[in-house]
Amino acid sequence: FKKSDNTVNGYFIGGFYGLIIGNAFTLTSSVFSGENITLRDFTILPSVAMNASYQGYIGGTTIGVCSSTINGPGCANFLSGSPGSGAGYGGIGGKSVDNSAIKGTGGTTYGLSNAPTALGSGGGRGHDADNGVGGNGGGAIKINATNLINISGTITANGGQGNLVNAYVGGSGSGGSIWLITNKFYGTGTITAT
């Protein structure tokens, strides 16, 4: 298990049986593109964030191209001269609409609801000569604590918003996955993958 870069400010107390993360600690980096943590006890204290947002598949950068290997299995599509559509994952992505007309379908669903391990897909590129790229998908975190998980901080794996250029915004990326496995679950924190 590794920390990101110099922005880290806090501490790990870890050992064979457990891990406590505390003191305004923020973990962010591509390390969470598919992080899998297995131990006995796992605790995130208040004001601590484990952030896998925007670490999934990249948003659409080329007009009219939706590649499942680059942009993810739920990448979004669009018709020429329209905003980008939203990526799918646990549900179908948002449609692209321009002047009340549907211009592109949202990305498709994929993955398993009872075993969420996939990365979020990238949103579709908005048709514009400038840079209406789609947002990146969210990353993936799996924590398997055989005894307990205590989340009093924050865990996120959100997708990113598309870039707005003129009238043609890029579509948003889909949220990634957060899979917590444990016998006991405590805490007053927040967990999001939107």
Side-chain angles (χ1 to χ4, degrees):
F1 188 70
K2 50 186 175 173
K3 330 183 245 192
S4 60
D5 55 25
N6 294 334
T7 63
V8 171
N9 177 19
Y11 61 87
F12 281 107
I13 299 173
F16 182 73
Y17 291 109
L19 176 66
I20 298 172
I21 305 172
N23 191 23
F25 201 100
T26 301
L27 294 152
T28 56
S29 99
S30 58
V31 112
F32 297 117
S33 293
E35 189 64 38
N36 186 349
I37 302 167
T38 302
L39 65 171
R40 183 174 181 271
D41 298 325
F42 182 82
T43 298
I44 294 182
L45 298 176
S47 74
V48 172
M50 179 178 273
N51 186 357
S53 294
Y54 328 127
Q55 300 300 321
Y57 290 100
I58 64 168
T61 57
T62 305
I63 296 172
V65 174
C66 174
S67 167
S68 62
T69 56
I70 296 170
N71 308 116
C75 63
N77 201 352
F78 74 99
L79 298 177
S80 182
S82 70
S85 299
Y89 178 21
I92 296 171
K95 297 175 183 174
S96 170
V97 178
D98 189 20
N99 293 324
S100 301
I102 295 174
K103 296 289 187 169
T105 59
T108 59
T109 62
Y110 61 97
L112 301 170
S113 61
N114 62 345
T117 58
L119 300 173
S121 292
R125 176 177 164 79
H127 181 66
D128 190 89
D130 295 320
N131 196 23
V133 297
N136 289 349
I141 297 173
K142 178 181 176 184
I143 300 171
N144 184 356
T146 58
N147 185 42
L148 72 88
I149 292 177
N150 182 346
I151 306 298
S152 294
T154 303
I155 299 179
T156 56
N158 297 328
Q161 293 181 350
N163 188 21
L164 172 61
V165 176
N166 298 324
Y168 298 117
V169 65
S172 292
S174 60
S177 61
I178 300 171
W179 187 8
L180 306 177
I181 304 167
T182 191
N183 288 320
K184 300 173 205 154
F185 187 82
Y186 303 99
T188 57
T190 55
I191 301 168
T192 59
T194 60

